[in-house]
């Protein structure tokens, strides 16, 4: 079959990315939309690129060297990329290929001016735009110059920024090919960029037009500030007209030149309002064709718009699908659960199957629709109060939406549930037996699940699991379970509110809850100190663990002096806590039992940083501090007017908080224990499918929903294309930051702290554990990278219960995500660590190794060096 080296743009559609690259495919598709004018031209296909690069054996060796370079080694990437570009540019274009390109030029006249533009096969895609990663050359005239610039476009596949971008998006250099678009130049009066959604707020109803005089390169290069028009529902709602002193013109003989704009035109708008509205209408047509918001390059010639490019806006957070056209307000589940990373489809669907409320997926994250609760006054007040106590940024974001008045409908309050005039349900008694009974019921239910699931395989397993999910939800929705959780939280709030009012002391409950009984998460951190005590006396075991690189090390341990005891201690720890891991609400994440090597750095830190018996001592010290704090508070209260009553009330609440606050962590332990049982059963099915050749890899099931997994087990067939698409989508979601609140218009709101009581330059957050501490910041994004010393302050994105083993080794905590009652806050208080959470971009604004001061009482962080 003869290779096709040149294709007219009008022959091309979106299905031909592999042949003409992303830009070429989009331009071809654009040229088919009614009413959209695209400058004529053709595409030099990827077949031509393959033909040319195949002539150079040196290129193969250079690509081999590049594949072995670390993505962080920018110097080597820079050097090798430059070598590869020189190699590609120096390859002679074969005569027959040059002839095909020259004949295509002749159809429009050889002296016509053209734009020569790169079009890589990994460019302008829905999951990775690669905008600006390769090169464009304007106003190129004559066959020789065109051929030279086609070679330059081929070479631009290996610019340093393109190579680095591919690495960050997990794309292999060898799998990408370069096509080149050769398009007739248009010489515009004005040009610019149209975003069919607001690129800053994400609002899909607001389009943004950037406009300047002359060629668009003046805007792209930053030579001038553009005029900016905001258009909503066919009307310009905001405009900024800039002083435009320079523009770029095309020269008759080829190339471009920067020229001055005469003073009378500098502050004239590049577009009229009517033109901006007309351009947006055109953009909406293009957006509808491609099915997603677009970043569109346009030119205006004699009041007529020409479209020279359209690509998806890949930085927008997706919007949950809705069955209606009504307005919706969504709150992030990940910010409540301390897991803002994207989840794979199986993880998303399993959480949805077992959740107490309906959840909507977008961008690999889950959201709850709170529109109805915001619409009625009473439920709105309750929701805002609950959100504000947990995370003030969520409350602020919701209030920002409510301030618009027209977005959330206004509904009457629902009638009260239950009998008329019925009182609130009786609160649970302050009785430790309540907690003991709940834990015993949980353990019995999980033991029954383990017993029953053992006999289930194939379709029978998938018939059984929905019943298990119902039991899962029954245990969690037990009214007594909810009362016990709320009893500890409400007692904490009561103590903090009342003791601040009566004694002027902030966050007094933090010390009163130290070493509270029955906190399974804090016990997990202390238990790893006990594991370190077993290992510490055995230097050969320590030396062996320092060299561990994979997860099969436990069997090897037994061959060393003291190794059997070390292995038994680690395995006993895994028997109790091995179902946990970072991001544990996603069932697809590897558990500690599956990757015990994750714990090794933390164990070694504990061996190095602590003396034997540290766990017992820490717990007893916490008990003593809490006891002394209780005596101090009650003594001071009794000295106040009406002091005996206040002291009696406070004593009741102190007893209540110590009875119930530890249980706050147990329901999550129950959920994750069940998840591990589900996962083991599901992965046994995946293993069978992989052995039967149905799946290429057992972990491919992670990219299927629970229902799709069931279908594969039933039919013994899988849609490999769907799995590949899901993998690509998941990779793209990792680059997105989920908002705390998201609207159906696509507006992403993160909220703001409305405070003026912090020093200039301080990083504001939410105070969740009292005290002030100064120390070295350790910015740690993965537990496996832990390398802590006494006095370090942990700075990370979020902490779920799996991070608690690190808490015993640090002096303070700073996170980007969190609330007053999320797990990290509860454990920080339990261990007496000053902590500030909800610090926006903390892991970027604080550098590893910097000295910082954490003000856990007042909720801010100072960077000292």
């Amino acid at each position: 079959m003869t290779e096709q080296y040149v294709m007219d743009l009008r022959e091309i559609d979106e299905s031909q990315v592999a042949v003409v690259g992303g830009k070429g495919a989009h331009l071809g598709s654009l040229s088919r939309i009614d009413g959209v004018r695209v400058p004529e031209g053709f595409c030099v296909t990827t077949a031509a690129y393959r033909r040319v690069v195949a002539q150079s054996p040196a290129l193969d060796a250079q690509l081999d060297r590049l594949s072995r370079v670390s993505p962080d080694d920018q110097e080597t990437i820079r050097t090798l990329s430059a070598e590869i570009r020189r190699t590609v540019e120096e390859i002679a274009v074969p005569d027959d290929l040059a002839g095909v390109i020259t004949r295509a030029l002749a159809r429009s006249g050889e002296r016509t001016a053209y734009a020569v533009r790169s079009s890589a096969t990994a460019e302008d895609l829905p999951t990775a735009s690669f905008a600006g990663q390769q090169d464009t050359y304007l106003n190129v005239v004559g066959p020789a110059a065109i051929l030279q610039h086609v070679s330059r476009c081929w070479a631009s596949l290996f610019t340093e920024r393109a190579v680095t971008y591919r690495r960050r998006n997990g794309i292999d250099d060898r799998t990408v090919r370069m096509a080149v678009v050769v398009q007739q130049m248009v010489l515009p009066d004005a040009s610019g960029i149209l975003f069919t959604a607001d690129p800053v707020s994400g609002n899909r109803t607001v389009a943004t037009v950037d406009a300047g005089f002359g060629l668009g390169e003046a805007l792209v290069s930053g030579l001038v500030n553009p005029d900016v028009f905001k258009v909503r529902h066919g009307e310009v709602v905001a405009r900024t007209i800039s002083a435009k002193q320079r523009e770029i013109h095309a020269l008759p003989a080829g190339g471009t030149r920067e020229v001055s704009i005469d003073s009378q035109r500098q502050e004239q708008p590049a577009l009229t309002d009517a033109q901006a509205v007309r351009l947006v209408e055109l953009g909406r047509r293009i957006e509808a064709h491609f099915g997603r918001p677009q970043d569109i390059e346009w030119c205006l010639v004699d009041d007529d718009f020409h479209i020279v490019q359209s690509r998806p806006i890949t930085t927008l957070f997706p919007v949950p699908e809705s069955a209606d056209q009504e307005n919706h307000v969504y709150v992030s589940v990940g910010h409540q659960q301390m897991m803002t990373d994207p989840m794979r489809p199986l993880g998303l669907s399993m959480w949805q199957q077992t959740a107490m409320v309906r959840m909507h997926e977008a961008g690999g994250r889950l959201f709850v629709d709170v529109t109805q609760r915001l619409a009625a006054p009473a439920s709105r007040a309750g929701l805002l109060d609950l959100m504000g106590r947990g995370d003030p940024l969520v409350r602020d974001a919701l209030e920002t939406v409510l301030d618009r008045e027209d977005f959330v409908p206004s509904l009457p309050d629902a009638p009260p549930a239950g009998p008329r005039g019925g009182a609130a349900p009786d609160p649970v008694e302050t009785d430790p037996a309540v907690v003991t009974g709940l834990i015993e019921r949980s353990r019995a239910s999980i033991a029954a699940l383990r017993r029953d699931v053992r006999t289930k395989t194939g379709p029978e397993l998938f018939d059984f699991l929905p019943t298990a999910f119902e039991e899962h939800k029954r245990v969690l929705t037990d009214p007594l379970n909810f009362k016990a959780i709320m009893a500890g939280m409400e007692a904490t709030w009561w103590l903090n509110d009342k003791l601040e009012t009566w004694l002027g002391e902030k966050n007094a409950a933090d010390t009163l809850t130290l070493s509270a009984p029955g906190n399974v998460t804090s016990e997990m951190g202390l238990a790893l100190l006990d594991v370190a005590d077993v290992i510490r006396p055995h230097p050969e075991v320590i030396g062996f663990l320092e060299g561990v690189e994979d997860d099969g090390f436990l069997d090897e341990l037994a061959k060393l002096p003291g190794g059997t005891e070390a292995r038994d201690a680690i395995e006993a720890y895994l028997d109790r806590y091995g179902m946990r891991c970072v991001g544990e609400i996603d069932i697809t994440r590897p558990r500690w039992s599956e990757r015990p090597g994750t714990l090794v750095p933390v164990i070694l830190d504990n061996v190095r940083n602590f003396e034997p018996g540290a766990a017992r001592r820490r717990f007893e010290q916490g008990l003593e501090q809490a006891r002394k704090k209780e005596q101090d508070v009650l003594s001071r209260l009794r000295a106040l007017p009406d002091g005996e009553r206040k002291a009696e009330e406070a004593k009741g609440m102190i007893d209540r908080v110590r009875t119930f606050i530890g249980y706050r962590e147990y329901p999550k332990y129950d959920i994750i224990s069940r998840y591990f049982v589900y996962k083991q059963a599901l992965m046994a099915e995946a293993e069978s499918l992989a052995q039967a050749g149905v799946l290429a890899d057992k972990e491919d099931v992670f990219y299927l929903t629970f229902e799709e997994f069931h279908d594969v087990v039933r039919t013994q067939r899988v849609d490999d294309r769907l799995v590949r698409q899901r993998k690509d989508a998941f990779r793209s979601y990792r680059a997105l930051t989920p908002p705390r609140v998201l609207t159906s218009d696509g507006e992403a709101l993160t909220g703001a702290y409305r405070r003026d009581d912090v020093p200039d330059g301080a990083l504001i957050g939410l105070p969740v554990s009292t005290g002030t501490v100064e120390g070295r910041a350790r910015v740690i994004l993965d537990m496996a990278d832990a390398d802590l010393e006494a006095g370090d302050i942990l700075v990370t994105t979020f902490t779920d219960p799996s991070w608690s083993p690190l808490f015993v080794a640090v002096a303070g905590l700073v996170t980007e995500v969190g609330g007053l009652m999320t797990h990290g806050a509860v454990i920080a208080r339990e261990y007496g660590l000053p902590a500030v959470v909800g610090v926006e971009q903390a892991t970027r604004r604080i550098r590893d190794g910097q000295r910082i001061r954490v003000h856990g009482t007042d909720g801010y962080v100072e960077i000292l060096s």
Side-chain angles (χ1 to χ4, degrees):
M1 189 177 82
T2 306
E3 293 275 20
Q4 189 169 8
Y5 293 132
V6 167
M7 294 180 71
D8 190 278
L9 285 179
R10 286 168 296 192
E11 299 176 63
I12 295 167
D13 62 37
E14 275 185 282
S15 68
Q16 294 166 295
V17 170
V19 178
V20 297
K23 187 177 275 114
H26 270 244
L27 283 166
S29 195
L30 277 167
S31 67
R32 295 162 176 258
I33 303 173
D34 284 345
V36 175
R37 293 195 62 175
V38 176
E40 291 189 10
F42 60 89
C43 196
V44 181
T45 67
T46 55
Y49 170 81
R50 284 199 314 273
R51 164 95 182 271
V52 167
V53 298
Q55 296 176 208
S56 174
L59 185 60
D60 230 26
Q62 288 169 332
L63 288 174
D64 276 342
R65 284 164 56 205
L66 186 60
S67 70
R68 292 192 293 270
V69 177
S70 162
D72 298 324
D73 187 353
Q74 286 300 118
E75 190 57 44
T76 305
I77 288 175
R78 185 177 301 120
T79 304
L80 264 176
S81 298
E83 280 182 33
I84 293 170
R85 288 198 306 280
R86 279 195 300 273
T87 299
V88 173
E89 285 191 47
E90 288 168 3
I91 300 171
V93 179
D95 289 344
D96 61 323
L97 176 54
V100 171
I101 295 170
T102 302
R103 284 192 293 278
L105 291 170
R107 287 197 289 272
S108 299
E110 288 190 359
R111 302 312 298 172
T112 299
Y114 291 88
V116 182
R117 315 171 73 193
S118 67
S119 180
T121 54
E123 184 177 12
D124 295 345
L125 306 181
T127 57
S129 81
F130 277 70
Q133 297 305 314
Q134 282 91 34
D135 289 346
T136 289
Y137 302 97
L138 299 179
N139 204 41
V140 183
V141 178
I146 296 284
L147 289 170
Q148 181 187 27
H149 286 87
V150 166
S151 287
R152 287 181 178 173
C153 281
W154 287 333
S156 76
L157 193 58
F158 297 99
T159 61
E160 180 191 349
R161 64 183 184 275
V163 170
T164 301
Y165 193 89
R166 285 197 290 272
R167 293 299 178 84
R168 288 178 182 158
N169 283 272
I171 297 168
D172 184 348
D173 293 313
R174 289 181 182 277
T175 63
V176 185
R177 304 281 184 266
M178 179 66 85
V180 181
V181 173
V182 181
Q183 248 181 319
Q184 289 182 26
M185 280 289 294
V186 290
L187 304 178
D189 305 312
S191 57
I193 298 166
L194 159 65
F195 296 98
T196 63
D198 189 315
V200 177
S201 72
N203 195 322
R204 271 50 165 194
T205 68
V206 176
T208 302
V209 178
D210 287 3
F213 293 124
L215 291 170
E217 289 304 290
L219 299 188
V220 173
S221 64
L223 182 65
V224 296
N225 291 323
D227 296 340
V228 180
F229 299 83
K230 300 274 188 186
V231 178
R232 188 168 190 256
H233 302 321
E235 182 183 355
V236 174
V237 293
R239 74 177 66 69
T240 303
I241 307 304
S242 300
K244 300 168 287 293
Q245 296 177 335
R246 316 287 290 169
E247 63 180 315
I248 293 178
H249 277 192
L251 298 171
T256 59
R257 183 179 69 184
E258 183 185 316
V259 298
S260 296
I261 299 173
D262 66 51
S263 55
Q264 289 88 354
R265 288 180 65 225
Q266 286 181 7
E267 299 201 19
Q268 286 181 7
L271 294 178
T272 65
D273 281 8
Q275 286 172 331
V277 168
R278 184 154 49 91
L279 175 60
V280 170
E281 288 170 355
L282 198 58
R284 293 287 179 223
R285 198 177 308 164
I286 294 167
E287 178 184 67
H289 175 83
F290 289 117
R292 58 182 65 87
Q294 297 288 300
D295 165 358
I296 298 167
E297 295 175 28
W298 56 269
C299 295
L300 180 69
V301 183
D302 297 330
D303 199 35
D304 201 1
F305 286 105
H306 296 246
I307 305 300
V308 294
Q309 181 54 307
S310 184
R311 62 175 69 89
I313 308 174
T314 58
T315 55
L316 296 176
F317 200 87
V319 179
E321 288 185 10
S322 172
D324 58 41
Q325 298 301 307
E326 303 298 318
N327 291 344
H328 293 271
V329 182
Y330 303 96
V331 169
S332 163
V333 172
H335 285 81
Q336 314 301 312
Q337 289 294 335
M338 298 302 92
M339 216 298 271
T340 53
D341 291 347
M343 296 165 69
R344 295 171 181 84
L346 184 61
L348 290 164
S349 67
M350 287 293 287
W351 194 258
Q352 287 170 307
Q353 294 269 350
T354 54
M356 304 302 119
V357 296
R358 187 174 176 219
M359 293 183 177
H360 305 261
E361 184 273 330
R365 279 80 167 187
L366 291 170
F367 294 84
V368 173
D369 187 342
V370 296
T371 318
Q372 291 295 311
R373 291 184 68 184
L374 287 173
S379 59
R380 178 192 312 141
L383 178 68
L384 291 175
D385 182 59
L386 185 65
M387 292 295 175
R389 283 190 178 275
D391 184 345
L393 292 177
V394 174
R395 176 173 183 145
D396 184 79
L398 290 173
E399 288 176 332
T400 300
V401 177
L402 290 168
D403 284 346
R404 288 170 193 157
E405 294 184 353
D406 61 337
F407 192 83
V408 177
S410 185
L411 299 175
D413 285 322
R420 286 183 185 280
D426 293 333
V428 64
E429 285 185 65
T430 302
D431 181 357
V434 172
V435 171
T436 305
L438 286 167
I439 290 173
E440 285 173 357
R441 270 181 264 175
S442 165
R443 286 174 177 164
S445 176
I446 292 169
L449 171 64
R450 288 196 183 103
R451 183 189 65 237
D452 294 345
V453 83
R454 249 181 237 128
T455 61
K456 309 293 190 292
T457 59
E460 189 186 5
L461 171 67
F462 287 85
D463 292 337
F464 164 76
L465 282 175
T467 307
F469 300 158
E470 289 307 309
E471 168 66 4
H472 177 133
K473 289 190 271 192
R474 186 195 68 76
V475 169
L476 292 172
T477 54
D478 178 345
L480 188 59
N481 179 58
F482 180 72
K483 286 181 186 179
I485 294 169
M486 291 306 298
M489 293 167 65
E490 287 167 349
T492 301
W493 297 335
W494 188 97
L495 285 166
N496 281 335
D497 290 346
K498 292 293 187 184
L499 296 182
E500 184 168 4
T501 301
W502 291 339
L503 300 175
E505 184 171 344
K506 290 183 180 179
N507 304 327
D510 292 1
T511 307
L512 293 166
T513 56
L514 289 172
S515 296
N519 188 320
V520 68
T521 307
S522 65
E523 289 167 1
M524 179 170 70
L526 296 176
L528 207 59
L529 287 174
D530 292 335
V531 173
D533 285 354
V534 174
I535 290 168
R536 193 177 290 105
H538 305 293
E540 288 186 56
V541 170
I542 295 170
F544 171 79
L545 290 176
E546 285 171 343
V548 163
E549 291 183 355
D550 59 49
D551 294 303
F553 67 92
L554 286 171
D555 292 336
E556 296 297 311
L557 263 181
K559 300 172 185 176
L560 301 169
T564 302
E565 297 96 307
R567 182 195 62 193
D568 291 349
I570 294 171
E571 287 182 341
Y573 185 86
L574 292 173
D575 285 344
R576 177 113 202 251
Y577 305 111
M579 78 292 289
R580 311 218 82 149
C581 67
V582 173
E584 60 193 9
I585 70 169
D586 182 353
I587 201 171
T588 72
R589 290 285 191 107
R591 311 284 134 174
W592 289 343
S593 286
E594 296 167 325
R595 288 203 189 152
T598 304
L599 293 173
V600 170
V602 190
I603 293 170
L604 291 171
D605 282 345
N606 288 348
V607 167
R608 186 173 65 248
N609 294 331
F610 293 93
E611 296 295 322
R616 178 180 48 79
R617 280 195 306 278
R618 285 189 69 129
F619 189 77
E620 289 173 353
Q621 285 165 3
L623 277 177
E624 181 62 15
Q625 284 178 262
R627 187 185 64 78
K628 285 183 176 176
K629 184 68 175 178
E630 178 179 337
Q631 290 175 342
D632 172 61
V633 163
L634 296 179
S635 170
R636 288 158 61 201
L637 287 174
R638 289 189 186 105
L640 298 175
D642 198 18
E644 286 300 328
R645 178 189 63 80
K646 290 173 178 170
E648 185 181 346
E649 288 183 9
K651 171 61 175 165
M653 283 299 176
I654 291 169
D655 290 346
R656 193 164 178 78
V657 82
R658 291 197 66 80
T659 298
F660 291 112
I661 200 63
Y663 183 70
R664 164 74 180 82
E665 293 295 297
Y666 202 87
K668 186 70 167 284
Y669 181 78
D670 175 290
I671 292 170
I672 301 307
S673 297
R674 293 175 193 275
Y675 262 43
F676 195 39
V677 179
Y678 306 150
K679 184 175 187 181
Q680 288 172 310
L682 290 170
M683 292 316 291
E685 291 300 313
E687 185 72 55
S688 298
L689 291 168
Q691 288 177 356
V694 177
L695 296 175
D697 184 284
K698 67 180 180 181
E699 292 192 356
D700 283 355
V701 297
F702 293 166
Y703 299 93
L704 305 174
T705 65
F706 178 76
E707 296 83 356
E708 290 164 349
F709 191 174
H710 186 183
D711 286 343
V712 172
V713 169
R714 191 169 43 78
T715 64
Q716 296 292 294
R717 290 199 308 273
V718 69
D719 183 346
D720 292 324
R721 185 166 162 271
L722 176 66
V723 170
R724 284 195 303 273
Q725 286 174 344
R726 296 269 179 80
K727 287 180 178 179
D728 287 343
F730 176 72
R731 187 165 53 236
S732 73
Y733 295 153
R734 292 168 74 174
L736 299 175
T737 300
R740 283 175 167 80
V741 171
L742 182 66
T743 73
S744 48
D745 282 350
E747 189 171 8
L749 299 111
T750 56
Y753 293 107
R754 313 289 175 176
R755 293 175 57 186
D756 55 10
D757 59 344
V758 298
D760 288 345
L763 311 184
I764 302 174
L766 178 66
V768 295
S769 185
T770 195
T772 300
V773 66
E774 187 177 312
R776 179 180 69 154
R778 291 312 319 272
V779 180
I780 298 175
L781 303 180
D782 185 336
M783 263 185 71
D785 298 331
D787 181 13
L788 296 166
E789 294 177 6
D792 283 348
I793 296 169
L794 174 62
V795 180
T796 191
T797 313
F798 57 80
T799 61
D800 58 15
S802 70
W803 285 78
S804 66
L806 289 189
F807 284 23
V808 298
V810 298
L813 173 70
V814 179
T815 70
E816 295 181 350
V817 176
L820 194 60
M821 279 298 173
T822 49
H823 302 277
V826 171
I827 304 307
R829 291 193 290 272
E830 178 84 9
Y831 287 164
L833 301 177
V836 180
V837 302
V839 179
E840 286 288 287
Q841 298 189 330
T843 59
R844 296 178 201 172
R845 295 161 76 186
I846 300 171
R847 292 195 308 277
D848 187 55
Q850 277 187 314
R851 201 154 183 81
I852 63 173
R853 186 181 296 129
V854 177
H855 295 262
T857 307
D858 295 311
Y860 63 91
V861 180
E862 290 180 284
I863 298 174
L864 305 177
S865 66

